[in-house]
Amino acid sequence: MKLSFSTRHAGADSFVGLCDKTAQYGFQGFEIYDAAREKKEHADSIFHSYLTPGAKRKLVNRHISLCALTWPQPVTAATDPADLVGYVELAATAGAENVILSMDPVPENIAAILTPAARRAQELGVMVLLETAGPLASTKAALGIIAQVGSAAM
């Protein structure tokens, strides 16, 4: 696991500024909290498709990586599985290894919500990680969801 930080409370004027801060402080990478916000706030964001190759070079040149994308709100019964699949695809395109999800409470239909994203993640080589806090603070609870989804990408 790489030493990284979340952009949830770490501001930067630009994507390149975020990369520079990451390298300057000795981190190996960062987790983008809310890809839509990142794209909106930074004109040079890795999520602007025409800038993705250049943004990836900025990461490589600084010997850092985009470690994860964090889904910005808890997964609920109303979460559209297609939106999660899209987030997984966005992570893969940007070169992020992981997508991080939280939930509180755990929806009864969690397997139906997560399975399409986990299957797509497995195809793309991305891992779907569960934030082990709140109702998932116990190993048993997290393993229960992983077993329901039944994908090596969980």
Side-chain angles (χ1 to χ4, degrees):
M1 187 79 167
K2 296 179 179 172
L3 179 62
S4 64
F5 65 93
S6 171
T7 62
R8 183 174 188 177
H9 299 292
D13 295 336
S14 64
F15 182 79
V16 73
L18 182 59
C19 293
D20 288 342
K21 280 184 179 181
T22 302
Q24 177 184 359
Y25 291 117
F27 286 94
Q28 296 167 315
F30 54 91
E31 303 164 6
I32 291 181
Y33 181 88
D34 191 355
R37 186 183 76 186
E38 157 63 26
K39 184 176 181 177
K40 180 180 171 187
E41 291 181 357
H42 296 147
D44 64 342
S45 174
I46 195 167
F47 301 118
H48 294 292
S49 59
Y50 60 94
L51 296 174
T52 301
K56 285 181 176 180
R57 279 193 304 280
K58 289 171 180 56
L59 294 167
V60 170
N61 291 342
R62 289 161 181 80
H63 307 287
I64 59 174
S65 66
L66 173 53
C67 301
L69 299 187
T70 301
W71 183 256
Q73 61 271 343
V75 173
T76 69
T79 300
D80 185 345
D83 291 340
L84 292 178
V85 169
Y87 216 67
V88 165
E89 291 171 343
L90 186 62
T93 300
E97 302 167 357
N98 305 296
V99 169
I100 302 171
L101 306 174
S102 66
M103 54 197 77
D104 190 6
V106 175
E108 286 185 30
N109 61 337
I110 193 62
I113 295 169
L114 296 183
T115 298
R119 287 184 180 153
R120 187 68 176 134
Q122 191 167 341
E123 293 169 358
L124 297 173
V126 173
M127 295 297 296
V128 177
L129 308 178
L130 300 174
E131 188 174 277
T132 52
L136 298 180
S138 76
T139 303
K140 182 178 180 181
L143 287 174
I145 291 173
I146 292 167
Q148 286 181 60
V149 173
S151 169
M154 281 298 297

